[in-house]
Amino acid sequence: MLKWIIVGIALLLTAIAMVPIAVTYIEKQQARDNAEKLAHAKNVNQSEAKTAVIVFSRSGNTAVLAQHIAQQWQADFYRLEASDYELGLKGWTNAMQDARSIRTEISPRQIDLSAYNTIYLGSPIWLYSPAPPIWAFVENNNFQGKHVVFFNTFNSKFEQTYIDQFKQLLLDKGAISFEHRHVKRGRMGQQISTEVMLEIYDNYPSKNVNNKIE
Ligand SMILES: Cc1cc2nc3c(=O)[nH]c(=O)nc-3n(C[C@H](O)[C@H](O)[C@H](O)COP(=O)(O)O)c2cc1C
């Protein structure tokens, strides 16, 4: 009997250990596919742009959506980097540990937003909350007089209370409007394609964000 309990526990522990390995394997595959779609998405700064799209994205899905939005609005495009959360097991473990934190090292820490009327901010959801790098970006920057559209990609669930806290932080930093858009990609193994993700986003009613006060 004891023998079977030990075997059972060993199998359970092996299964638990396989989860992060499988997840990080799939993430790397996605990141490779997304990197091709993002090949021409360098940080772009056009002197005339009144809209900026600023995104943190670990495995590239939110970045592909960000690129799409930037093309729609001929916006400047910035991708934030966070070395603690690079692809692989170490970055994934750090991401799980820090998921509810709102402080972390990012690069760039600050962007001069003075030329822009509207800022699109993008992030994945980690443990039901926007990922730490996008909180850190808001914390480090001035949103006085800006219209903000916050967009997320996620697999299955986020908690509205974290979105409300994020909105409050932006209002405290001077933002004058806030809109939230989100695309659910589905659980790993049964996720929607990039094309469908962009289509869902595009089906948000088109509004003149600059006139919208929430
Ligand atoms: C550490 C971690 C935690 C996550 N937690 C959630 C979660 O709570 N809810 C959810 O729906 N998706 C969760 N996800 C999935 C991501 O939000 C989803 O795959 C997202 O589209 C990834 O975006 P990216 O490719 O731009 O990094 C999590 C992913 C990671 C790495």
Side-chain angles (χ1 to χ4, degrees):
M1 179 65 179
L2 182 64
K3 189 177 118 194
W4 289 114
I5 292 174
I6 291 170
V7 170
I9 291 173
L11 283 174
L12 185 68
L13 291 178
T14 309
I16 290 170
M18 289 303 288
V19 171
I21 293 169
V23 168
T24 49
Y25 177 81
I26 296 172
E27 279 184 334
K28 277 188 182 170
Q29 265 187 334
Q30 291 191 359
R32 262 196 303 272
D33 292 347
N34 288 327
E36 279 175 29
K37 299 184 179 90
L38 288 163
H40 48 284
K42 304 257 173 344
N43 281 2
V44 174
N45 194 320
Q46 305 166 18
S47 53
E48 299 297 305
K50 290 284 168 232
T51 302
V53 180
I54 300 165
V55 64
F56 168 72
S57 176
R58 186 158 173 275
S59 40
N61 296 289
T62 323
V64 170
L65 177 54
Q67 174 180 252
H68 179 74
I69 297 168
Q71 284 166 350
Q72 283 179 339
W73 292 98
Q74 295 179 340
D76 286 351
F77 176 85
Y78 302 89
R79 183 166 178 178
L80 305 174
E81 303 293 339
S83 56
D84 280 351
Y85 309 127
E86 276 173 2
L87 290 169
L89 271 180
K90 186 163 177 275
W92 185 83
T93 310
N94 288 343
M96 287 299 273
Q97 268 169 3
D98 296 357
R100 295 278 171 77
S101 169
I102 64 167
R103 290 196 180 81
T104 191
E105 278 309 311
I106 52 169
S107 174
R109 287 189 84 252
Q110 290 186 315
I111 293 173
D112 179 2
L113 302 177
S114 55
Y116 306 116
N117 298 329
T118 303
I119 317 286
Y120 284 78
L121 290 177
S123 167
I125 293 290
W126 289 357
L127 293 193
Y128 308 147
S129 175
I134 205 70
W135 291 90
F137 183 77
V138 176
E139 187 65 43
N140 298 343
N141 285 273
N142 180 359
F143 286 81
Q144 203 64 46
K146 308 299 177 194
H147 297 278
V148 175
V149 181
F150 183 43
F151 60 98
N152 300 129
T153 70
F154 66 109
N155 285 2
S156 57
K157 186 172 185 277
F158 66 83
E159 290 280 359
Q160 185 60 37
T161 154
Y162 297 115
I163 305 301
D164 293 343
Q165 286 169 18
F166 189 77
K167 173 180 177 178
Q168 190 56 53
L169 179 61
L170 274 159
L171 297 179
D172 293 347
K173 291 283 176 178
I176 51 172
S177 77
F178 179 88
E179 187 184 337
H180 184 219
R181 298 178 172 194
H182 45 86
V183 182
K184 182 169 162 174
R185 297 175 52 238
R187 289 187 188 282
M188 276 185 167
Q190 39 187 301
Q191 286 175 328
I192 57 174
S193 65
T194 302
E195 290 68 29
V196 174
M197 173 179 84
L198 300 182
E199 208 178 301
I200 292 172
Y201 179 86
D202 285 344
N203 279 332
Y204 270 93
S206 98
K207 293 171 194 151
N208 183 351
V209 171
N210 290 345
N211 291 333
K212 187 164 186 295
I213 307 287
E214 274 193 354

